[in-house]
Amino acid sequence: MAKETIAGLAQRLGISKASVSYALNGQPGVSELTRRRVLDLADELGWYPSSSARALSRSRAGAVGMVLSADPLLIGTEPYYMGLLTGIETALAEGDMALMLRMVGRDPAQERATYERWAGERKVDGVILFDHRHADPRPALLERLRLPFVLHGAPAPEGVAPRSGTTTDHALDAATIVDHLHQAGHRRIAHVSGPRSFLHEEARIRGVQDRAGRHGISVVQYEADYSLDSGRDAALALLRGGEGISALVFGNDLMSMGGLLAMRAVGLRCPEDVALVSWDDSLHCELASPSVTALARNPGMQGRVAAELLLGLLDTGEVQTARMPAGDLVARSSTGALP
Amino acid sequence: MAKETIAGLAQRLGISKASVSYALNGQPGVSELTRRRVLDLADELGWYPSSSARALSRSRAGAVGMVLSADPLLIGTEPYYMGLLTGIETALAEGDMALMLRMVGRDPAQERATYERWAGERKVDGVILFDHRHADPRPALLERLRLPFVLHGAPAPEGVAPRSGTTTDHALDAATIVDHLHQAGHRRIAHVSGPRSFLHEEARIRGVQDRAGRHGISVVQYEADYSLDSGRDAALALLRGGEGISALVFGNDLMSMGGLLAMRAVGLRCPEDVALVSWDDSLHCELASPSVTALARNPGMQGRVAAELLLGLLDTGEVQTARMPAGDLVARSSTGALP
DNA sequence: TCCATTACCTGAACCGGTTCAGTAACCCCG
DNA sequence: CGGGGTTACTGAACCGGTTCAGGTAATGGA
């Protein structure tokens, strides 16, 4: 079983390399009979065309890259990423694209270096970006490098050249959460967000502020960093402040868990003393006691859509955006929704 | 900035392609001066050699593949995988190898097809395997495909041709857990394992049995499937059985959480009525109430070692095995270790 | 002084596909 | 029956690197 090549197949069948290639790729130029013979032989031999040879002659890598640039610790514990990844990979596989994964720390230079290398080596055909920041250097970098990309989960851009990507209506999600708290009778709440440098956090903050204002609810904004500890610290600061806050909204599930720990530490009961909502659902929310009311966002589906947008962009060059459906509020004990 | 090639560089410098190639790859055959000029120019242009061209002529893909074949749901919630992945990726990146990720369901045919394709297309130079099963078809398949691989986390094989991989002394870990429960005074315990088709579960079961026997502790073995629900069902069955079990050992953190839910459901307190140990640490164990005593295994480091073994295998063809350090028992409330 | 090394460099073949331009055979139709 | 069009196929160039087999020129030893 010496490694076969397309020349080998051609020789066995007594036809030219070109015909084999056409037959394999479903292109015109060969008769149905020849095509069948080629496909059957390839099948019989268990032969696949060399991906690097193909990549070289097609000038297409057949792979999509993704850089995870969060803290390793956060990546491993944040179920949202894994869900996203699963969705992305599934969609890519269906489009016959491989997923190349790279993990770097919070160091932007490394992420930048990775893109430069990927582009220079033509190792990936495109990349998926998320956690869009204010004045994010990545889109400009990628455009300079001519590396196609989609932007996942950013708020809909205003007055900017359109880019491929998924957009989320964070104001709508904010309204869902605030309305839920309003119905439960809360008049003063705190919103513990992730870093404000993220566009989506900015949008969420505005959304919460707006909706709360409409209900006559006052909001204390607090900036944290998505980690468990930062959530705990935030809760401690807010609840000790004696500001009469009766509900906390956390930007992700980890911080929500931190919030629960803080409440336990200072002897406040949930939901009786302070209610809690997580802006991301996960097993943590389900398992915590009390279980935590959360906005479920279906990361798997979002990843799938993002990947499909990228495939479309690579295939046809068509720039499109997809609006993600609104999150579903899963009411649990932490807002008194369940006994 | 039309895309540069090695021929372009050569022309600019007035030398041959061959010289440029030698200079770039640190090979003899060029003077130091020429080498510097080449490297400087490449740097200045931000040029990198095309990975597919390189892969084609070197017959080496420059990538390592990994198939995650668990339930999507389980993958996303099982922190062990993510930790492993992070470690693997980090080590691979240091060795200038890319990580190709593929997620398939529990369908073995898909995993098999992925390997066949990867091997045929020469898309990856090697793969990392884990969750070794009894009569696992994968090693034989990969050997037939001539695709190098390392086996992660299996028990040390007996009387089999040695293969590259990491081995874990599950008996030792079992002893750590059983000893801990023995010290706490338990005389009758249950061990809820993952599927027995996994070699490591078999080894764990034997390990628990042996060590318990030495202490005069009796063990009820129960086979589950790593899912939250299966953990819950196991606990319900075992605790309702009225067999006088005073401690439960679960094969992973998810099942442990299921166990806690079950105890809550039937009104048993932990650790007063039944103690609990998880054979895998994670944030879940830390956050649960009560917090769960767990055997921490440092998946990140394990992934790193596995990847390094594979790099060594690809580089020098050297088959080696690395024994993983014993797990650390993190004592928490679920065994009464903390107030 | 002369021959054998050695250091540096080059042309060309090669890796395994894709694709273009060209050819031969065939078909249809006026 | 002849000419335009289609179909099936082929040889060769090409993608962008690596590597081998030489070819000079400089160095060193006898």
Side-chain angles (χ1 to χ4, degrees):
Chain A
M1 186 170 126
K3 49 182 151 188
E4 268 308 338
T5 71
I6 208 171
L9 295 211
Q11 197 180 354
R12 283 171 194 252
L13 294 171
I15 59 179
S16 70
K17 278 169 59 180
S19 295
V20 177
S21 175
Y22 290 139
L24 288 170
N25 295 304
Q27 295 202 12
V30 281
S31 66
E32 263 324 300
L33 174 68
T34 306
R35 188 183 306 275
R36 272 257 59 82
R37 291 211 305 141
V38 170
L39 292 177
D40 286 350
L41 180 60
D43 217 50
E44 184 192 326
L45 297 176
W47 175 87
Y48 292 89
S50 147
S51 66
S52 42
R54 197 170 244 195
L56 180 59
S57 53
R58 287 195 186 161
S59 324
R60 215 157 181 283
V64 160
M66 191 163 164
V67 177
L68 294 186
S69 70
D71 285 325
L73 196 134
L74 212 141
I75 289 180
T77 47
E78 180 55 274
Y80 184 80
Y81 287 120
M82 257 304 197
L84 203 60
L85 212 59
T86 308
I88 288 172
E89 210 289 322
T90 310
L92 288 179
E94 284 167 17
D96 246 318
M97 281 271 170
L99 175 63
M100 194 134 280
L101 199 62
R102 186 81 181 71
M103 292 174 173
V104 305
R106 263 266 161 263
D107 182 9
Q110 276 202 48
E111 184 169 359
R112 182 198 161 97
T114 301
Y115 293 135
E116 286 185 338
R117 217 164 146 194
W118 277 350
E121 296 183 332
R122 268 141 295 167
K123 189 152 197 131
V124 300
D125 297 316
V127 298
I128 295 179
L129 247 48
F130 54 92
D131 283 350
H132 193 34
R133 288 174 177 271
H134 217 77
D136 199 323
R138 297 174 301 170
L141 172 66
L142 291 172
E143 269 157 17
R144 184 165 68 70
L145 296 172
R146 300 188 203 296
L147 196 53
F149 64 96
V150 299
L151 212 48
H152 167 67
E158 295 149 15
V160 182
R163 300 208 235 254
S164 231
T166 65
T167 65
T168 304
D169 188 343
H170 295 281
L172 187 57
D173 286 347
T176 305
I177 292 174
V178 172
D179 287 356
H180 179 74
L181 291 174
H182 176 247
Q183 277 184 356
H186 298 276
R187 322 296 316 185
R188 185 161 177 70
I189 68 177
H191 172 207
V192 179
S193 69
R196 286 178 188 225
S197 54
F198 291 129
L199 293 190
H200 65 263
E201 287 296 351
E202 217 176 33
R204 288 177 178 187
I205 290 171
R206 259 205 312 279
V208 168
Q209 211 67 261
D210 287 359
R211 192 65 168 201
R214 201 174 302 177
H215 286 311
I217 295 177
S218 74
V219 183
V220 179
Q221 295 287 351
Y222 194 103
E223 183 176 2
D225 68 5
Y226 290 134
S227 71
L228 182 79
D229 288 344
S230 80
R232 172 163 37 202
D233 294 347
L236 286 175
L238 289 164
L239 298 177
R240 276 193 186 134
E243 309 189 54
I245 290 165
S246 70
L248 297 171
V249 177
F250 288 93
N252 72 345
D253 54 339
L254 275 184
M255 294 199 292
S256 302
M257 296 303 114
L260 275 186
L261 292 178
M263 291 174 58
R264 217 173 283 162
V266 299
L268 287 169
R269 291 168 314 158
C270 181
E272 294 84 350
D273 300 320
V274 178
L276 200 153
V277 179
S278 170
W279 207 313
D280 240 341
D281 195 13
S282 78
L283 198 60
H284 285 302
C285 298
E286 211 175 320
L287 290 178
S289 59
S291 61
V292 172
T293 295
L295 192 81
R297 301 194 294 143
N298 199 347
M301 184 268 286
Q302 298 197 3
R304 159 173 284 282
V305 173
E308 281 165 358
L309 287 182
L310 183 54
L311 289 178
L313 179 64
L314 294 177
D315 228 46
T316 67
E318 193 181 358
V319 171
Q320 24 180 358
T321 59
R323 184 183 303 269
M324 293 292 100
D328 279 327
L329 192 99
V330 181
R332 298 203 183 91
S333 308
S334 70
T335 51
L338 289 179
Chain B
M1 185 170 125
K3 48 182 153 190
E4 269 306 340
T5 71
I6 210 173
L9 294 212
Q11 197 180 354
R12 281 171 195 252
L13 294 171
I15 59 179
S16 70
K17 280 170 57 179
S19 296
V20 176
S21 176
Y22 290 140
L24 287 170
N25 294 304
Q27 296 203 11
V30 282
S31 67
E32 263 325 299
L33 174 68
T34 307
R35 189 183 304 275
R36 272 257 59 80
R37 293 210 304 142
V38 170
L39 292 178
D40 287 349
L41 181 60
D43 217 50
E44 185 193 324
L45 297 176
W47 175 86
Y48 292 89
S50 148
S51 65
S52 42
R54 195 170 247 194
L56 180 59
S57 53
R58 290 222 257 244
S59 323
R60 215 160 182 280
V64 160
M66 191 163 163
V67 176
L68 295 186
S69 70
D71 284 325
L73 197 134
L74 212 142
I75 289 180
T77 47
E78 180 54 274
Y80 184 82
Y81 287 120
M82 256 302 196
L84 203 62
L85 212 59
T86 309
I88 288 172
E89 209 289 322
T90 310
L92 289 180
E94 283 167 17
D96 246 319
M97 280 272 170
L99 175 63
M100 195 133 282
L101 198 64
R102 186 82 180 73
M103 293 174 172
V104 305
R106 264 263 161 264
D107 181 10
Q110 275 203 45
E111 184 170 359
R112 181 198 163 99
T114 301
Y115 294 135
E116 286 186 337
R117 208 153 158 203
W118 277 351
E121 296 183 334
R122 268 141 296 167
K123 190 153 196 129
V124 300
D125 297 316
V127 298
I128 295 180
L129 247 48
F130 53 94
D131 283 350
H132 193 34
R133 289 173 176 273
H134 216 77
D136 199 324
R138 298 174 302 170
L141 172 64
L142 292 172
E143 269 157 17
R144 185 166 67 71
L145 295 172
R146 297 187 205 296
L147 195 54
F149 63 97
V150 299
L151 213 46
H152 167 67
E158 296 149 15
V160 182
R163 301 208 235 251
S164 232
T166 64
T167 65
T168 305
D169 188 343
H170 294 282
L172 188 57
D173 286 347
T176 305
I177 292 173
V178 172
D179 287 356
H180 178 73
L181 290 174
H182 176 245
Q183 276 185 356
H186 297 277
R187 322 297 315 184
R188 184 160 177 71
I189 68 177
H191 173 207
V192 180
S193 69
R196 286 178 188 225
S197 54
F198 291 128
L199 292 190
H200 64 265
E201 286 297 351
E202 217 177 35
R204 287 177 177 186
I205 289 171
R206 260 205 313 276
V208 167
Q209 211 68 260
D210 286 359
R211 191 65 167 201
R214 200 172 307 176
H215 287 309
I217 295 178
S218 75
V219 184
V220 179
Q221 296 287 352
Y222 194 102
E223 181 176 3
D225 69 3
Y226 290 134
S227 71
L228 182 79
D229 288 342
S230 80
R232 173 165 34 202
D233 294 346
L236 287 176
L238 290 164
L239 298 176
R240 276 195 186 131
E243 311 188 54
I245 290 164
S246 70
L248 297 172
V249 177
F250 287 93
N252 73 345
D253 54 340
L254 274 185
M255 293 198 293
S256 302
M257 296 303 115
L260 275 186
L261 292 179
M263 291 174 60
R264 217 172 281 161
V266 300
L268 288 169
R269 290 168 314 157
C270 179
E272 293 83 350
D273 300 321
V274 178
L276 201 151
V277 179
S278 171
W279 206 313
D280 238 344
D281 195 14
S282 77
L283 197 61
H284 285 301
C285 298
E286 211 175 320
L287 290 178
S289 58
S291 60
V292 171
T293 295
L295 192 83
R297 300 192 295 143
N298 199 348
M301 182 270 283
Q302 298 197 1
R304 159 174 284 283
V305 173
E308 281 164 357
L309 288 182
L310 183 54
L311 289 178
L313 178 65
L314 294 178
D315 229 44
T316 67
E318 192 182 358
V319 171
Q320 21 179 359
T321 59
R323 186 182 302 267
M324 293 292 101
D328 279 328
L329 192 98
V330 181
R332 298 204 183 89
S333 308
S334 70
T335 52
L338 289 179

